């Protein structure tokens, strides 16, 4: 009997390996997430053996070979809620990572937590949002979220503007369907990028200011469909006021990307904190 059981286990293991190998061999070649959206399992365009040449988001224009493949979401092992402090979840990319410490200092009477890792594009977000909300989505008094820079980038995370709208709508629906009544949910607009960066300041990966504007317009169109349920913190406007259209006059953006100097992150943290304070105690966003 034991030998028969062992044989069955071995055959099952071999079968699983064969299935996995066949799945990888049959995976769709891709250059970006846009090519993988229709596949609920192999939904990410990732650097794998035998794929199609692609520009890698995390490789700063490094060329990889990509196929549609699965990717596991990062676990959200959040610390316990602190007594007497309102709970604030920040969902965003490297921009929110950059200003998070200063935002936390500005809102010291709240307990701020950032969703795990870089929350990337809407494709990634729509698959991971349930986990990012944590084991108790009713915990949060405030949620701010942004997606955009990874969606519009010219790399393996790119999704077109209509797909961005659809995935953003999925994320918003997931948040609102699990979130407590009376909480504050705010979309932070995507921050600008230089229209004509100098040769020493090429954006890696490539991004266009016209796309930032188009994706923000698309996002606000989605947000506008949730009357009285969502607010907006317009960080694009704040940077545009400081730097001029297309960063025509800007001292808060370093070379090589859409990121900011410490003064730039302070500007964003101050403006976002003010926006959160403004909306926090409202019963309705109408």
């Amino acid at each position: 009997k034991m030998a028969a059981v062992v044989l069955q286990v071995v055959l099952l293991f071999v079968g699983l390996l064969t299935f996995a190998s066949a799945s990888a061999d049959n995976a769709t070649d891709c250059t970006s997430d846009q090519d993988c959206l229709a596949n609920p399992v192999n939904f990410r365009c990732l650097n794998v053996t035998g794929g199609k040449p692609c520009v890698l988001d995390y490789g700063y224009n490094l060329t990889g070979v990509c196929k549609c493949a699965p990717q596991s979401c990062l676990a959200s092992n959040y610390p316990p809620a602190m007594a007497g402090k309102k709970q604030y979840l920040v969902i965003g990319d490297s921009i929110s990572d950059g200003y998070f410490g200063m935002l936390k200092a500005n809102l010291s009477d709240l307990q701020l937590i950032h969703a795990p890792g870089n929350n990337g594009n809407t494709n990634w977000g729509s698959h991971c949002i349930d986990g990012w909300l944590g084991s108790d989505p009713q915990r949060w008094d405030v949620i701010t979220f942004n997606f955009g820079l990874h969606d519009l980038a010219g790399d393996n995370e790119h999704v077109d503007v209509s797909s961005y709208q659809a995935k953003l709508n999925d994320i918003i629906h997931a948040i609102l369907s699990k979130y407590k009544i009376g909480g504050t949910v705010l979309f932070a607009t995507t921050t600008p990028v230089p229209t004509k960066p100098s040769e020493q300041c090429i954006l890696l990966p490539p991004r266009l200011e016209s796309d930032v504007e188009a994706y923000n317009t698309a996002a606000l169109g989605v947000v506008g469909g949730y009357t009285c349920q969502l607010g907006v913190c317009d960080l694009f406007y704040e940077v545009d006021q400081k730097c001029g259209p297309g960063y025509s006059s800007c001292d808060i953006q370093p070379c090589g990307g859409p990121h900011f100097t410490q003064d730039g992150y302070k500007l964003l943290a101050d403006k976002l904190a003010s926006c959160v304070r403004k909306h926090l105690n409202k019963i309705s966003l109408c």
Side-chain angles (χ1 to χ4, degrees), residues 132-180:
W132 293 343
L133 291 173
S135 58
D136 180 19
Q138 299 285 308
R139 165 181 178 169
W140 310 112
D141 299 290
V142 187
I143 296 175
T144 57
F145 67 103
N146 165 264
F147 296 90
L149 283 176
H150 286 253
D151 299 84
L152 63 88
D155 58 29
N156 63 311
E157 282 201 285
H158 178 82
V159 298
D160 66 29
V161 70
S162 61
S163 298
Y164 168 75
Q165 278 190 303
K167 292 295 184 182
L168 186 65
N169 188 64
D170 290 344
I171 292 167
I172 293 171
H173 179 75
I175 292 173
L176 294 179
S177 66
K178 296 174 177 62
Y179 194 49
K180 65 185 178 185

Side-chain angles (χ1 to χ4, degrees), residues 158-211:
H158 178 82
V159 298
D160 66 29
V161 70
S162 61
S163 298
Y164 168 75
Q165 278 190 303
K167 292 295 184 182
L168 186 65
N169 188 64
D170 290 344
I171 292 167
I172 293 171
H173 179 75
I175 292 173
L176 294 179
S177 66
K178 296 174 177 62
Y179 194 49
K180 65 185 178 185
I181 296 174
T184 300
V185 185
L186 303 169
F187 175 74
T189 54
T190 298
T191 47
V193 298
T195 300
K196 295 180 179 179
S198 67
E199 292 182 3
Q200 293 78 29
C201 296
I202 299 299
L203 291 176
L204 302 173
R207 293 177 172 95
L208 298 176
E209 176 69 350
S210 57
D211 284 338

Side-chain angles (χ1 to χ4, degrees), residues 114-126:
H114 198 292
N118 184 321
N119 302 145
N121 67 1
T122 52
N123 182 34
W124 180 239
S126 65

